[in-house]
Amino acid sequence: MDKSVNPDPWERIAQHLGVDLYLDLQPDPAGSTRGRGARRRHSLASALREAISDGRLGPGTLLPPYRSLAADVGLARGTVAAVYQELIAEGWLVARQGSGTRVADTPRPGVSAPTRSVRQTSTIDHDFGLGQPNPSLFPRADWIAATRRVLSDAPDRTFGPGDPQGSERLRNSLAGYLARARGVRTDPAHIVLTTSVLRALELLSRTVFGDVLAVESHGLPFHRAAVERGGTATMPVPVDGDGAAVDRLSDEASAVLLTPSHQYPTGVPLSPSRRARVIEWAGDHDALVVEDDYDGELRYDREPVGALQALNPDVVIYTGSVSKSISPAVRIAWLVLPPRLVEVVRATKGRREPDASIIDQLVLAELIDSGAYDRHIRRSRQYYRRRRDVLTDALAHAGVTIPGIAAGLHAVIPLPSHDEDTVFDAALRRRFALAKMSQYRHPDTSIDDSSPSGLVVGFGTPPASSYQADVRALVSLVTEYL
């Protein structure tokens, strides 16, 4: 039967019940001379005034129809209707034909205005913050269309508890996509979906990492913190113009975490000889290599650097996410695991994962399968290439050369180590959002003249309306101290 023609009687009733509203109806104090009906009416009116005064019912809030509220609080309909009329007369509420009864949005004499949420005034004039793509590029139309398709086609079981490894459809789609776009060698059975790379590292630290994990001397501090929370100590490996110096890996380490396609934050790729060397080290020491391919798709001037995982899928754990390619608001990441590690990671992950959305996973799979994800990546690549060129051209005109910027969403502006703090402090005074290299340095890293230093700026973040002005301000800041 078509419910749109003959709706369920309970649905007809529910349409008139209105919103839920919690009210604490206090009894009159002892000795009150009011009758029972008057007491109940006074209690309801006082509770509504209090809820409006303390901000629980903000301006414009729709109240339930009086019939619905009467049923909820156990009062006569006439009593609730009279209270509504009383508060309308006092200016607490307003009633308009067709829009119901709402909390008034005008101040009332002698009553403090409800507390409202106010957006903080920005203290940033030039936002070169790191770690996110430009939010204006989010593929809204594609996302909406894909959501409509997957919700229309999904069987009912989709909305029940799912597989601990994540959506089978997305794992199938990812296996194909990662193979053709990044050269990853895997299949859906060896992929485990998580909400973020951070979550993936926490999971690995509780399962497959030993006592010591080697990490690049400069990298994301919160990644190191995630590993250390799992009980694994981290040990720095120096970074130079060829990436991590893997020939200096310690025998103590049972695994190493690398960003081989585009070292974070220096931007250099791991050289071919070092790629071969780290795979050899893992095989000789029965160790693991964890590859964080955080922005491997965003390349501009060179042939793509393929995934390290392809050299030996039995010793490399590959991880990535959509936080750079789509948005950090979409909580989807993945682990591509050697076959022997799948069951232990799956068991530790458990049946459920906080904030994981099967709907988002299905939408991403639809974007990949339909080709919309590839189109979005190409559009984003062109957009960021133009931004990168504006930044590098402006700095080059001022005599500043930027290394390691053939990919990604950030650039390092080299500075002598003794000037880094000075320029960074000046940037903060001028209300820039950016970072300095020393913020990414492992605390156990030895410092010498060869240590990378400078400002780290995210060129994807500034809004389009101010990007040219932001770049000019950045160039002015840097050249003032060089």
Side-chain angles (χ1 to χ4, degrees):
M1 181 180 294
D2 186 351
K3 291 186 177 182
S4 64
V5 177
N6 297 294
D8 188 293
W10 287 108
E11 291 183 8
R12 290 200 303 269
I13 294 171
Q15 291 171 3
H16 299 284
L17 292 181
V19 299
D20 284 340
L21 180 63
Y22 170 76
L23 295 171
D24 186 11
L25 304 187
Q26 297 293 329
D28 266 11
S32 173
T33 59
R34 281 192 288 258
R36 183 174 183 274
R39 291 198 305 269
R40 303 290 302 263
R41 173 174 169 170
H42 173 76
S43 179
L44 176 60
S46 297
L48 284 168
R49 291 190 191 98
E50 182 179 353
I52 296 170
S53 295
D54 65 19
R56 284 181 287 131
L57 295 179
T61 300
L62 177 67
L63 297 187
Y66 69 84
R67 293 184 296 273
S68 173
L69 184 58
D72 288 345
V73 298
L75 297 179
R77 296 178 184 179
T79 300
V80 176
V83 169
Y84 275 20
Q85 291 302 317
E86 177 183 338
L87 297 187
I88 289 170
E90 294 176 1
W92 296 88
L93 304 177
V94 293
R96 296 186 180 89
Q97 181 108 23
S99 64
T101 303
R102 297 178 182 270
V103 177
D105 59 4
T106 55
R108 289 164 295 281
V111 179
S112 299
T115 302
R116 301 189 187 188
S117 175
V118 179
R119 184 176 179 179
Q120 296 294 322
T121 301
S122 173
T123 58
I124 296 172
D125 288 341
H126 309 291
D127 187 1
F128 287 95
L130 284 82
Q132 63 181 24
N134 192 287
S136 69
L137 294 187
F138 188 87
R140 295 171 189 255
D142 287 336
W143 192 271
I144 291 169
T147 301
R148 185 180 297 113
R149 289 195 297 270
V150 299
L151 288 181
S152 298
D153 298 341
D156 290 345
R157 65 177 181 275
T158 299
F159 308 104
D163 192 307
Q165 286 182 237
S167 161
E168 182 178 9
R169 179 181 174 185
L170 178 54
R171 287 186 284 119
N172 273 288
S173 301
L174 274 174
Y177 174 78
L178 294 175
R180 64 176 170 79
R182 302 296 300 128
V184 173
R185 295 161 54 193
T186 191
D187 58 61
H190 299 136
I191 296 176
V192 174
L193 300 178
T194 71
T195 53
S196 65
V197 171
L198 182 67
R199 167 66 173 153
L201 292 176
E202 290 176 339
L203 189 58
L204 292 175
S205 70
R206 304 203 322 265
T207 53
V208 301
F209 292 162
D211 294 333
V212 179
L213 173 72
V215 297
E216 293 160 333
S217 63
H218 290 70
L220 290 169
F222 58 85
H223 280 180
R224 295 195 297 265
V227 171
E228 290 167 354
R229 281 196 299 271
T232 300
T234 59
M235 172 185 297
V237 178
V239 172
D240 57 27
D242 287 325
V246 295
D247 54 328
R248 296 175 62 177
L249 282 167
S250 169
D251 290 344
E252 293 181 58
S254 59
V256 58
L257 171 62
L258 300 173
T259 51
S261 296
H262 187 227
Q263 201 281 324
Y264 193 92
T266 65
V268 299
L270 190 65
S271 69
S273 62
R274 289 186 177 179
R275 285 174 159 247
R277 177 69 190 94
V278 75
I279 295 296
E280 181 183 355
W281 170 83
D284 291 345
H285 292 78
D286 193 24
L288 291 167
V289 179
V290 182
E291 176 179 13
D292 180 4
D293 196 25
Y294 69 97
D295 62 2
E297 297 148 315
L298 297 175
R299 60 189 186 275
Y300 310 124
D301 294 334
R302 53 170 166 76
E303 290 299 316
V305 177
L308 180 67
Q309 186 264 6
L311 297 182
N312 190 340
D314 290 330
V315 300
V316 179
I317 298 172
Y318 177 92
T319 185
S321 75
V322 296
S323 65
K324 300 292 189 298
S325 60
I326 295 183
S327 167
V330 179
R331 309 296 293 160
I332 299 176
W334 46 85
L335 284 167
V336 176
L337 296 165
R340 70 182 188 280
L341 300 180
V342 173
E343 283 307 315
V344 65
V345 171
R346 175 187 168 100
T348 303
K349 182 174 182 285
R351 296 293 304 175
R352 301 294 179 88
E353 181 177 14
D355 303 324
S357 168
I358 189 66
I359 304 302
D360 285 354
Q361 291 179 9
L362 291 174
V363 171
L364 179 57
E366 176 67 19
L367 292 177
I368 294 172
D369 296 345
S370 68
Y373 185 72
D374 287 83
R375 292 192 296 272
H376 169 70
I377 292 296
R378 288 195 292 271
R379 287 193 299 266
S380 299
R381 199 180 291 147
Q382 293 169 359
Y383 178 84
Y384 293 126
R385 180 188 287 114
R386 289 193 295 269
R387 284 193 160 217
R388 187 277 314 264
D389 292 346
V390 168
L391 176 64
T392 55
D393 290 350
L395 286 166
H397 186 72
V400 181
T401 301
I402 306 298
I405 198 168
L409 295 175
H410 74 275
V412 178
I413 302 175
L415 293 171
S417 57
H418 57 270
D419 286 337
E420 184 183 88
D421 287 339
T422 301
V423 181
F424 180 71
D425 291 343
L428 296 184
R429 289 194 298 272
R430 298 184 193 184
R431 296 156 69 99
F432 278 83
L434 42 71
K436 56 181 177 177
M437 285 294 291
S438 57
Q439 291 175 297
Y440 299 99
R441 187 172 61 230
H442 191 286
D444 295 336
T445 298
S446 58
I447 305 172
D448 55 35
D449 291 340
S450 65
S451 297
S453 61
L455 298 181
V456 189
V457 296
F459 56 83
T461 314
S465 59
S466 66
Y467 187 64
Q468 298 279 353
D470 290 330
V471 169
R472 287 195 297 271
L474 179 64
V475 172
S476 176
L477 167 75
V478 172
T479 54
E480 184 176 323
Y481 289 90
L482 289 178

